[in-house]
Amino acid sequence: MKLHSQILGQGQPFIILHGFLGMSDNWKTLGNKFAEARFEMHLVDQRNHGRSFHDDDFSYEVLAEDLKTYCDDHNLEDIILLGHSMGGKTAMLFSTEYPELVSKLLVADISPRFYPIHHDAILDGLSSLDFSEVKSRGAADQQLSKYVQEQGTRMFLLKNLYWIEKGQLALRINLEVLKENVSEVGEALPIHSKFEKPTLFLRGDKSEYVMPTDEKLIKQHFPLAEIKTISNAGHWLHAENPTDFYDAVINFITLN
């Protein structure tokens, strides 16, 4: 069982991990920009997401092991690792377990702490999509709007739609397994985990995922961590303010 990825450019390997219910396609535009800056970009679909395999096991331990297998298969070392939200938790755990493989860590809008379940409406909305009746993206959007009011969030979720065959839509994500294991997404980083290399935490100024009260915990796990706020951005900071996000990332990875 191998992870699907999109590989762009040449140079130092730079892996990006998407968030919960996301996929590598979410990072294609920024991935191309980083590739132009002479990095070999690996935009990875985590298990049960995108074009990667489906499996009943789902936890940060198995997500980190998937990434280790991926690095072994592609002979990757001295990597730059960036993860957003759930992908940030995977990146944190991977870096603390395999610090010899990671040169720099970047975590987008998530902290090491525990988060309570907060995806109920989204998962209920996706579960309500009956593809024997929903035959277009517009119809899927209309149905999803009964559960998710924010249009940008619906657009993000609807990227998971694809055509199995003409006239037949489906979701790429393994929805049933993700629903069963949604509590895993909020799990905290193990208490003794530590990564003592350059680390950057990026947070959106309109987001509440990384708060000032998280700084002490971040520093316990990542003693060299810097925390930077991206203006005019919420949880999807890389999509809401891609210019400032790119600048913050490129400055960190080239100057550290």
Side-chain angles (χ1 to χ4, degrees), residues 121-241:
I122 285 174
L123 292 172
D124 287 346
L126 292 171
S127 298
S128 78
L129 296 174
D130 180 353
F131 293 114
S132 66
E133 297 181 0
V134 173
K135 296 298 183 182
S136 70
R137 290 179 180 274
D141 184 48
Q142 186 174 13
Q143 174 62 23
L144 200 55
S145 69
K146 298 174 185 177
Y147 298 81
V148 182
Q149 292 185 345
E150 214 279 310
Q151 184 182 22
T153 303
R154 293 201 308 275
M155 289 175 61
F156 163 77
L157 295 169
L158 291 170
K159 288 181 183 291
N160 284 290
L161 285 180
Y162 76 111
W163 298 100
I164 299 179
E165 56 190 44
K166 188 172 181 180
Q168 184 60 56
L169 283 167
L171 291 169
R172 290 199 184 278
I173 52 171
N174 188 349
L175 183 58
E176 289 308 311
V177 166
L178 295 179
K179 284 172 62 179
E180 288 171 15
N181 295 280
V182 66
S183 62
E184 294 288 338
V185 179
E187 284 299 307
L189 190 66
I191 191 167
H192 297 300
S193 297
K194 188 171 281 194
F195 178 72
E196 300 183 84
K197 291 182 182 179
T199 304
L200 178 64
F201 279 74
L202 294 154
R203 63 175 296 275
D205 67 341
K206 298 176 182 176
S207 173
E208 296 182 349
Y209 275 74
V210 182
M211 303 299 288
T213 50
D214 292 321
E215 184 171 349
K216 182 179 179 182
L217 181 63
I218 287 170
K219 293 284 191 178
Q220 286 175 3
H221 290 290
F222 306 95
L224 300 183
E226 303 171 34
I227 303 171
K228 185 174 179 61
T229 299
I230 302 299
S231 62
N232 301 311
H235 185 54
W236 284 279
L237 61 178
H238 55 290
E240 295 170 42
N241 190 345

Side-chain angles (χ1 to χ4, degrees), residues 22-93:
M23 65 181 77
S24 59
D25 284 355
N26 303 146
W27 289 88
K28 192 76 177 286
T29 300
L30 274 169
N32 278 315
K33 279 198 74 174
F34 290 125
E36 290 168 6
R38 298 187 178 179
F39 293 96
E40 181 182 273
M41 302 306 302
H42 293 255
L43 312 181
V44 174
D45 286 330
Q46 299 188 84
R47 68 166 62 195
N48 294 321
H49 290 77
R51 292 172 175 81
S52 281
F53 60 89
H54 288 186
D55 191 82
D56 288 345
D57 285 340
F58 191 76
S59 67
Y60 286 117
E61 287 72 21
V62 296
L63 294 177
E65 285 307 305
D66 288 345
L67 185 57
K68 175 62 164 61
T69 300
Y70 181 88
C71 289
D72 291 346
D73 288 345
H74 290 82
N75 298 310
L76 301 182
E77 55 187 22
D78 190 36
I79 65 173
I80 297 166
L81 180 58
L82 186 161
H84 171 242
S85 197
M86 181 191 81
K89 284 279 186 80
T90 305
M92 284 187 247
L93 183 61

Side-chain angles (χ1 to χ4, degrees), residues 97-116:
E97 293 193 340
Y98 303 103
E100 70 281 2
L101 295 180
V102 182
S103 63
K104 299 180 183 73
L105 171 66
L106 301 96
V107 179
D109 214 57
I110 200 77
S111 91
R113 66 175 157 91
F114 168 80
Y115 291 79

